[in-house]
Structure formats: C-alpha cells, structure tokens
Amino acid sequence: MKLAKPIAAALAATVMAGAAHADLVIPGLHYRTGPYAPGGIPYADGFTDYFTLLNERDGGIGGVPVRTLDCETGYNTEKGVECYESTKGEGALVYHPMSTGITYQLIPKATADDIPIHTMGYGRTSAANGRVFSHVFSYPGTYWDAASIIVKHIASEEGGNLRGKNIALVYHNSAYGKEPIRTLQELAGKHGYELTLLPVDHPGQEQKSQWLQIRREQPDYVVMWGWGVMNQVAIKEAVNIRFPMDHFVGVWWSASEHDVLPAGDGAHGYKAVTFHNTGDGFPIYRDLKRYVVDAGKAAGDGSHLGTVLYNRGIYAAMLTAEAAANAQRIHNTGELTPGQMRDGMEALQVTKARMAELGLPNFGPEINVSCANHGAPGLGAIQQWDANSKTWSLITDFTGADREVVDALIAEDSTAYAAENAITPRDC
C-alpha cells in the first residue's frame, strides 16, 4: 500500500531526527547448526521467506522494506545474548529469541533498551502479564496454556474423570522443559491424577532408563516437553516398549515431521497440542512459490514448505508484520522505532477475516492483545500424526486453557518477579 501524505511527512521528520531507520529491521536469532538444527532450520526458513514475500510482492510493510538480520545462536544462551548485543544497534524493532534460556536473559536487557520481545509459545510464561512485563509478548499462547489444554484433552478421552490416573512427564532438563511442571502439579491436585517427572538431559539421546521406568510403572498417559533429537529418541523408545501412541501427547515443540518420521509406522497416532493449523493447503503458498521459491529467493532449499515448523515460522513473521503495520497506523509513520513497535504489538488484533486476506484462512484463532494480557488468546488444538499419509491433522477444535489455574499461577509468579526486580506494575 502507498503511504498517505501525513504518514509520509511524519516519516520524513523521523528520518531527520534520526529516531528511526530507513527500513524495518527484524533480527532472527536462528539456529541452523547443532543438535537442535532439525527444528531450527524449517522455522528460520518460514520466518525469513515470509518477509521476503512481503518485500517482493508488496514492497515491504506499509511501503517500507523489511531487512532481516540472521544471527546463528546454535540454541546456545550465551551466543543468543551476543547476537542481541551485536544487532540491536542496527535499529532492531523486535526480537524472537527462539529459546527459553535466551529469553530469560533478554527480558531485563530488552526492557531497559525499550525493545520488545516476541516469545511465541515459549519463554517465561508469567510474562503474559503485561502489567509487569511491558516489553515481552507470548501470544497466541504460553507453556502453561499448553499443559492445561493437554490435560483437558486427556480428561476428555477419559470421560472427564482423571482421578486415580497416572500421567508421566518426559521433559528436557532445562528451563524450557521445567516450565509446565508447576501447572501440571496444580492440575494434578485439582483432578486427582498422579504426576511422575522424568527429566532427560541435553541433548536427549539417552533415554533408556526413563522408558524402562515407563514400561515398569505403565502410566496411563505420557506427556512430552522435548526439543530436537530428544523428540525422535522418545518416540522411538515409546514404539520399542509398545506404549500406545494415542496416549502419548507432546507440547507444540515436540510435534514436527522430523520428530515422527524416524519411528516409521510405529509413530502412527502420536498427538501434540498446537496453536496453528497444519499443511500447505493455504493460498499464501501460491504467492510464496511465485515470489520467493520460483524466483530463487528462498531462505532454504524449499524442502520444508508446508511442514509444521515452516508454518510456525510464517506465523511468527506474519504476526510481526501485522504488529508493525499496526504501529505504523498508530503513530502515523512508515518507519518505526522499537518503542513504537511495542505499541503496535500491545494493540494487535488479527481477526479471522484478516487471516483469510493474508492467505491463511482458518490457520489459527483470532489474536487480541491488550496492555494487561500479552499472551492472548491462550487457545490450542490437538493434532495427530498419520503415518500412512505422513501428515499431521487437527483432531479437535481450538479450546481454552483452565484459566482459573493458569491465571492464578501467572499472577503469583509475575508478582514475585515484580517484587524481586523493584517493578511497579502498570495500571492498564
């Protein structure tokens, strides 16, 4: 779209003042190397390809080109912080840390620098409280939402009664993997199930003892909070002990094609929670093919298009682009400062009609962010793997988390964080 005259005038003023840059700078803290590269690569491809599409087809966002800055982290927290420090001076508008460990380190830094962070479906869950975490956004959902929605699905499979059941959590022994524990414990107290905790050390290739324990104790369900090779190994081990796959449910980072394909037919029926739809049956793929892939401008080799994590990269980029466009409207300027970008994120609304306009009809639930709620809408669906067709499909509608439990935990943790860091919560 062309900028209206008032926007163009404001744009010229910001250039003269040096407050904004001549393009929209979006860093990507990606990892195409290391043990987590199989998940990092398709996400990075989708994220980058979407912005390439906007540049090639639309001339950018609001007529202002997007410049992506890729910085390789190797999923290493120290490298992630180094990437942040080395790129923020380029005019970075928003960061996607793509790691819970990196997120924890960047929260105080980015807040002090007035740069927003988008931790889409990961990071510190209590940062969904925008009153305390002014610069951190986790929409469209958090880890605690995911844990609650998984338990809600398991309960529905058990006729609504989980009393006396046993749920085992196989989790990455890191800040990421430990995120759902408190929520699952609270829900265990509420619903009367027993929770067994089975940590798996980085990178997750050795899990024999955990699955021997599962075979011995025979829990009713296994929930997985894994990433990278850990997912593949866990699913293979479950197949080896003949654990029923439809009773094995992963978080959304344990549910891509490369997680299940190595287990062959044995992975059939494996489930996971998700916050977006699956496959390449969306109109946006026609434009991606025309303007990006066929034009030789794709970030990767094109083999990941339509996969779960490629779609997630597209989703993250789309939400970023919509927030940037929203910030342009709010501040009546094409170019943006990080603080203005934050405003666009905090007032972001993405309707079903808008997603259809973007070529992503029925891709996910509507987004409605507010000053107080940076994690909205907190909905998730269950997807299931079909080993015959080698595809993921949604088997439930999008449903909400147990807000009574999750919101209380968010309030408790964010209040403690505010006290520890001398933060006065904003009056939203």
Side-chain angles (χ1 to χ4, degrees):
M1 69 181 184
K2 293 184 178 179
L3 295 175
K5 288 183 179 179
I7 297 181
L11 187 155
T14 56
V15 170
M16 290 178 64
H21 286 245
D23 48 20
L24 304 175
V25 180
I26 311 291
L29 304 192
H30 299 313
Y31 39 94
R32 296 178 179 276
T33 63
Y36 303 100
I41 291 171
Y43 177 96
D45 287 354
F47 186 83
T48 305
D49 285 352
Y50 187 82
F51 288 119
T52 301
L53 171 64
L54 296 187
N55 284 339
E56 296 300 313
R57 186 191 63 192
D58 307 334
I61 301 170
V64 183
V66 177
R67 179 162 60 98
T68 55
L69 296 176
D70 283 2
C71 190
E72 176 65 35
T73 72
Y75 198 72
N76 177 277
T77 297
E78 184 177 344
K79 289 183 179 178
V81 174
E82 290 174 358
C83 280
Y84 171 82
E85 296 293 350
S86 66
T87 57
K88 68 179 183 180
E90 294 288 321
L93 293 179
V94 57
Y95 279 89
H96 295 256
M98 274 308 291
S99 156
T100 295
I102 297 173
T103 297
Y104 270 67
Q105 294 299 312
L106 292 191
I107 286 173
K109 289 178 176 290
T111 302
D113 292 335
D114 194 24
I115 303 175
I117 301 174
H118 187 191
T119 61
M120 186 179 74
Y122 61 94
R124 183 176 189 131
T125 292
S126 64
N129 182 356
R131 291 185 172 91
V132 174
F133 296 90
S134 58
H135 286 67
V136 189
F137 299 83
S138 53
Y139 55 80
T142 70
Y143 285 144
W144 299 351
D145 293 330
S148 171
I149 293 164
I150 289 172
V151 170
K152 182 180 287 189
H153 173 69
I154 292 173
S156 71
E157 295 290 278
E158 295 295 323
N161 184 12
L162 291 178
R163 191 157 301 279
K165 300 295 182 181
N166 184 290
I167 298 175
L169 174 67
V170 177
Y171 66 96
H172 194 277
N173 195 14
S174 64
Y176 153 61
K178 295 173 184 176
E179 273 285 329
I181 293 176
R182 179 72 188 284
T183 306
L184 293 174
Q185 289 172 335
E186 290 292 319
L187 290 169
K190 180 175 182 176
H191 295 289
Y193 64 82
E194 180 182 348
L195 179 65
T196 301
L197 301 178
L198 300 171
V200 175
D201 290 334
H202 162 85
Q205 291 173 310
E206 180 49 59
Q207 300 182 41
K208 289 293 183 185
S209 63
Q210 289 88 347
W211 288 94
L212 284 173
Q213 183 175 341
I214 290 171
R215 186 174 68 177
R216 182 173 63 251
E217 297 180 0
Q218 297 184 337
D220 297 285
Y221 289 85
V222 173
V223 174
M224 177 159 66
W225 232 262
W227 187 226
V229 69
M230 174 184 163
N231 297 333
Q232 299 177 10
V233 173
I235 293 170
K236 285 182 179 179
E237 292 288 355
V239 172
N240 290 340
I241 68 168
R242 294 182 172 83
F243 190 83
M245 279 296 156
D246 59 352
H247 284 220
F248 190 7
V249 190
V251 70
W252 39 60
W253 301 110
S254 299
S256 61
E257 289 77 6
H258 66 262
D259 295 328
V260 287
L261 286 171
D265 293 343
H268 184 77
Y270 172 70
K271 297 176 180 177
V273 67
T274 182
F275 51 80
H276 60 77
N277 216 323
T278 64
D280 60 0
F282 300 96
I284 194 172
Y285 274 99
R286 292 197 297 267
D287 284 354
L288 282 167
K289 185 176 187 301
R290 175 183 174 186
Y291 292 97
V292 181
V293 179
D294 290 351
K297 298 180 182 294
D301 60 8
S303 63
H304 299 296
L305 272 72
T307 63
V308 167
L309 291 173
Y310 186 91
N311 278 357
R312 193 160 301 162
I314 286 177
Y315 198 23
M318 179 272 279
L319 293 175
T320 298
E322 290 299 292
N326 193 37
Q328 289 173 331
R329 290 188 291 270
I330 291 171
H331 292 284
N332 201 32
T333 178
E335 297 180 9
L336 297 171
T337 65
Q340 291 170 336
M341 180 69 182
R342 194 212 69 84
D343 295 343
M345 296 174 72
E346 191 165 83
L348 179 64
Q349 293 184 347
V350 183
T351 64
K352 289 184 178 180
R354 178 55 180 161
M355 280 188 274
E357 290 175 4
L358 294 169
L360 292 165
N362 302 313
F363 191 75
E366 294 187 334
I367 308 292
N368 192 355
V369 188
S370 69
C371 169
N373 187 356
H374 285 190
L379 304 180
I382 300 297
Q383 65 181 38
Q384 189 168 34
W385 177 249
D386 186 327
N388 299 314
S389 62
K390 293 182 173 55
T391 57
W392 290 99
S393 299
L394 299 191
I395 61 170
T396 73
D397 294 330
F398 285 92
T399 186
D402 185 331
R403 298 258 57 97
E404 179 184 26
V405 170
V406 173
D407 289 348
L409 291 174
I410 288 174
E412 176 186 328
D413 191 77
S414 59
T415 298
Y417 181 91
E420 292 167 4
N421 293 276
I423 297 172
T424 300
R426 297 187 296 160
D427 183 4
C428 288

